[in-house]
Amino acid sequence: MAPKENTDLRELVRKIALLNAVKHDGKAQSGPVVGKILGERSEYRTKVKEISTLINEVVNEVNSLSLDEQMRIVAKEWPETLVKEKAEGEKHLPPLPNAADYPQVVTRYAPNPDCVLHLGSARAIVLCYEYACMYKGKFILRFEDTDPKLKRPVLEFYDAIRDDLTWLGCRPDEEYIQSDRIPLYYEYAEKLLKDGNAYVCTCLPQEFRKKILASEPCECRDCPPKENVARWRRMLDGGYKEGEAVVRVKTDLNHPNPAVRDWPALRIINAEKYPHPRVGSKYKVWPLYNLAAGVDDHLMGVTHVIRGKEHLTNQVRQEYMYRYLGWKYPQAIHYGRLKITGAHLSKSKIVQGIREGLFTDWDDPRLATFAALRRRGITPEAIKKMIIDVGPKTSDVVLSWENLYAYNRKILDPIADRYFFVQNPVELTVNQIPRMFSAKLRMHPDSPERGFREYTIHPKGRSSSATFWISKKDIDVSKIGAMLRLMELFNVRIEKVNVYSAEASYVSEAYEEARNVKAQLIHWVPVGEDMPCQVVMPDATMAEGIAEGICRRLKPDDVIQFERFGFVRIDKVNDKITAYFAQK
Ligand SMILES: [Zn+2]
């Protein structure tokens, strides 16, 4: 290539690589860059080999920059590309690495059924599921229930987790339960032992620790495989008690991270004392996370492991085992932590709180469990959308309830019918109403086709009066003399305010008059056309009040908006309505 041509090409590659990197969390990939170059410069199609060296070189240079640095360069040199990016709005997940290397993309979500799922689980589930869909692949649910002692699985959570996934709209194509697969793990453990790649360590834990921190082998490490297999059989036969023997996979003893060195793969649990809820006391030897998950990922054909970056060390551990067994490690995507401020996301705190009676149940509105969100009317679509927008980036992300509510509002606002709910009701008598009035209240402000609720006000008695429920927060003594507008009805002037009642007189009908004096617009329910209603708030307190009688027609799971109050999900309807508060 001529020098000039080379410089031009290099500049083009640099631009495409930077744009690609910015799109993919700071890591450009050569494949798409090559594709783009060939698309723009057909003359290079016969020189793929020559240009790919250059492309790899530039991609490496670009990837050595931080994402911030890359963005700065892009913003400075090609600002127009950023504008376009923004206008596209709808976000999509970035492509998976090397997806084309596999006949089918397979992902898995692997919870321990020791608790119900919560918002913190959403990222793993949604990313795994959405990627499987994006590539027309397979999404596996795998219950990792091999610790009957410290992370004891509970039967009801297997079903609760299945229900949660269905609710989220992330139904698995296949399901596995690790406690059904114990003999399989034994098989691979035995192979590792026979090949001299693992050993049964019978050292006292503190002795072993001392050695491993000093990068020294313990006495068991160099036992011949035959002796290790004999010890292994003894483990299975109950010849060792809990804590007396553990199978370790050999690693580099000098590995810079001591937590990687000769990691434990299987251990003994007192099966009589800690029976497993599904298989009882059938097994004394239980695989630990890295053996079970590692073997399963391979056997289940998982191509892309998508999980939090706290698992990075586990990948390093498992790669030793994969090498010993002659397997290829799947593509691993480790995303950063997702913190949601104000949400209870600690499994142990949730479980403890329920046990101590601090929370009423798994769907207590104070919790961020899917069960609680479901009950409140937070939609699975909102959760999905939020997670997809965050994507699989490696940097930590902090979100708040408000972020989730913003997504949820976009979904609920167009579909939720409107009603009036009067919290802490005060009975307002309006006098001197000159004639009969009728109010037509739209079910939805933007959709007249959804119809109206209609109330006819017949003034009665010597003072031509009618009575309404209004909310205590809308009226107090400071309002005496002020004008208020009963929404879509008429304007009144407040004359008297007591604790549970108030009096006003009719002023006029025109909305403009209320607007001119900036009168407050308040909602109301005619006395006699009401029904009691209570709303369970996110802090588990109750908002008590009165709803329109027409709310009798609502059904559980309907999500509506109580105007000037918030979106709620109807939970129960009998002689009283119980609703759960979703959000403002
Ligand atoms: Zn040892």
Side-chain angles (χ1 to χ4, degrees):
M1 251 178 271
K4 165 83 173 76
E5 189 194 359
N6 200 343
T7 324
D8 283 350
L9 178 64
R10 195 181 185 90
E11 256 325 280
L12 181 66
V13 173
R14 181 168 162 269
K15 175 179 176 182
I16 292 173
L18 274 162
L19 292 179
N20 186 272
V22 166
K23 254 193 191 163
H24 300 112
D25 261 331
K27 292 286 165 248
Q29 279 153 16
S30 302
V33 176
V34 174
K36 195 96 198 236
I37 297 282
L38 297 183
E40 288 190 16
R41 299 280 180 89
S42 54
E43 67 267 32
Y44 289 117
R45 284 186 192 160
T46 52
K47 302 181 189 162
V48 175
K49 244 198 176 145
E50 288 120 280
I51 65 165
S52 48
T53 317
L54 171 73
I55 289 176
N56 284 333
E57 201 183 304
V58 176
V59 164
N60 284 338
E61 269 171 37
V62 164
N63 287 350
S64 70
L65 303 172
S66 70
L67 178 59
D68 284 348
E69 181 70 8
Q70 293 164 351
M71 300 217 337
R72 203 188 51 74
I73 298 172
V74 169
K76 191 167 159 242
E77 300 195 37
W78 312 285
E80 72 285 357
T81 58
L82 292 178
V83 176
K84 193 169 153 235
E85 200 68 45
K86 243 185 195 161
E88 280 171 12
E90 187 92 347
K91 271 202 200 164
H92 297 283
L93 291 172
L96 282 174
N98 306 316
D101 294 356
Y102 303 89
Q104 186 189 28
V105 164
V106 181
T107 63
R108 48 69 165 181
Y109 174 61
N112 180 355
D114 62 345
C115 186
V116 297
L117 300 182
H118 57 64
L119 207 44
S121 333
R123 197 169 191 190
I125 300 168
V126 171
L127 289 179
C128 289
Y129 175 82
E130 289 294 325
Y131 271 122
C133 288
M134 190 167 143
Y135 288 93
K136 300 194 169 42
K138 195 161 71 177
F139 172 57
I140 292 174
L141 168 62
R142 182 169 79 216
F143 288 108
E144 297 194 337
D145 58 345
T146 63
D147 187 350
K149 187 180 173 185
L150 296 176
K151 294 181 179 170
R152 196 167 192 280
V154 178
L155 279 185
E156 66 168 302
F157 298 139
Y158 293 80
D159 271 339
I161 288 172
R162 291 180 185 116
D163 289 348
D164 282 343
L165 291 189
T166 306
W167 174 71
L168 261 184
C170 300
R171 259 177 196 277
D173 300 299
E174 280 171 21
E175 181 191 298
Y176 297 92
I177 304 181
Q178 286 190 330
S179 57
D180 284 342
R181 300 165 59 82
I182 304 300
L184 256 168
Y185 308 127
Y186 288 176
E187 205 179 289
Y188 288 99
E190 193 159 323
K191 177 156 174 46
L192 291 166
L193 289 162
K194 274 187 180 152
D195 294 347
N197 292 320
Y199 57 99
V200 175
C201 176
T202 55
C203 298
L204 288 171
Q206 59 270 36
E207 299 291 320
F208 177 82
R209 217 180 125 68
K210 227 185 275 166
K211 291 245 156 94
I212 209 73
L213 285 178
S215 294
E216 284 169 17
C218 74
E219 282 158 23
C220 326
R221 196 179 204 261
D222 295 324
C223 281
K226 228 173 149 185
E227 166 63 15
N228 273 314
V229 173
R231 285 181 174 196
W232 165 245
R233 295 275 149 75
R234 205 178 311 152
M235 276 178 84
L236 294 176
D237 293 344
Y240 294 106
K241 288 205 260 319
E242 185 177 305
E244 286 181 350
V246 47
V247 176
R248 294 186 176 281
V249 170
K250 291 185 183 173
T251 68
D252 179 358
L253 283 181
N254 292 308
H255 193 281
N257 182 356
V260 168
R261 297 175 199 162
D262 285 16
W263 52 271
L266 300 99
R267 58 25 179 136
I268 298 164
I269 286 179
N270 183 336
E272 302 305 322
K273 200 167 163 194
Y274 305 104
H276 190 280
R278 290 186 71 254
V279 295
S281 307
K282 192 169 169 189
Y283 303 109
K284 301 174 190 69
V285 177
W286 286 92
L288 283 147
Y289 174 76
N290 284 297
L291 183 102
V295 166
D296 278 350
D297 282 341
H298 175 76
L299 296 184
M300 293 170 191
V302 173
T303 60
H304 291 77
V305 171
I306 305 165
R307 60 186 170 197
K309 66 183 177 191
E310 66 275 13
H311 281 287
L312 271 166
T313 310
N314 288 327
Q315 175 178 355
V316 179
R317 293 185 181 111
Q318 290 174 29
E319 276 169 343
Y320 281 95
M321 179 173 74
Y322 269 68
R323 275 198 292 277
Y324 297 146
L325 295 169
W327 298 343
K328 182 176 179 287
Y329 200 76
Q331 305 291 321
I333 294 101
H334 291 103
Y335 50 75
R337 264 167 275 269
L338 173 65
K339 192 175 151 37
I340 294 162
T341 48
H344 283 280
L345 291 184
S346 145
K347 265 197 203 178
S348 54
K349 276 190 187 148
I350 295 174
V351 173
Q352 193 191 350
I354 298 247
R355 205 185 303 130
E356 291 172 1
L358 206 64
F359 304 121
T360 50
D361 208 339
W362 303 106
D363 57 4
D364 186 293
R366 286 165 290 187
L367 298 175
T369 58
F370 289 144
L373 298 174
R374 181 158 64 218
R375 194 150 197 203
R376 286 177 50 190
I378 306 294
T379 60
E381 294 79 12
I383 298 171
K384 260 189 174 171
K385 189 101 208 335
M386 180 174 86
I387 298 295
I388 291 172
D389 280 358
V390 170
K393 62 176 100 174
T394 47
S395 49
D396 292 349
V397 180
V398 180
L399 294 177
S400 67
W401 283 108
E402 282 309 319
N403 293 109
L404 179 57
Y405 294 160
Y407 286 98
N408 202 43
R409 188 175 295 116
K410 276 192 197 149
I411 292 161
L412 294 185
D413 191 59
I415 59 170
D417 278 341
R418 271 49 171 179
Y419 292 95
F420 286 162
F421 165 68
V422 172
Q423 190 184 0
N424 299 330
V426 168
E427 191 179 315
L428 175 76
T429 303
V430 180
N431 300 314
Q432 282 100 48
I433 304 174
R435 57 178 172 86
M436 189 187 91
F437 279 89
S438 127
K440 274 181 128 186
L441 304 164
R442 276 192 187 182
M443 296 310 302
H444 194 281
D446 308 326
S447 318
E449 73 282 359
R450 280 203 233 161
F452 303 86
R453 304 97 78 194
E454 197 163 357
Y455 292 106
T456 311
I457 309 302
H458 297 278
K460 286 199 181 77
R462 265 195 308 158
S463 28
S464 297
S465 58
T467 48
F468 304 87
W469 296 114
I470 62 168
S471 184
K472 197 169 183 63
K473 73 172 169 44
D474 288 332
I475 191 163
D476 59 53
V477 284
S478 74
K479 298 270 167 68
I480 291 175
M483 196 204 278
L484 290 179
R485 178 170 178 81
L486 302 186
M487 286 163 79
E488 306 293 329
L489 186 61
F490 48 53
N491 310 319
V492 303
R493 190 171 312 283
I494 300 298
E495 282 165 353
K496 220 193 254 175
V497 178
N498 304 315
V499 182
Y500 298 111
S501 67
E503 273 185 51
S505 57
Y506 173 91
V507 178
S508 57
E509 186 182 11
Y511 166 66
E512 288 68 27
E513 284 187 44
R515 201 184 49 196
N516 288 343
V517 298
K518 296 199 172 76
Q520 196 179 354
L521 271 56
I522 66 167
H523 61 281
W524 48 275
V525 172
V527 171
E529 300 193 61
D530 49 47
M531 75 181 295
C533 175
Q534 61 177 16
V535 182
V536 182
M537 301 304 288
D539 62 359
T541 59
M542 285 300 179
E544 299 280 353
I546 277 169
E548 293 176 57
I550 200 176
C551 291
R552 244 172 232 107
R553 69 184 180 183
L554 296 172
K555 286 176 203 65
D557 286 336
D558 284 348
V559 176
I560 59 164
Q561 188 191 43
F562 279 141
E563 288 196 58
R564 303 182 65 229
F565 183 78
F567 292 96
V568 302
R569 179 191 147 273
I570 303 298
D571 197 63
K572 249 186 264 154
V573 184
N574 33 47
D575 48 351
K576 170 183 195 167
I577 288 186
T578 306
Y580 274 66
F581 189 82
Q583 63 178 100
K584 279 271 179 211

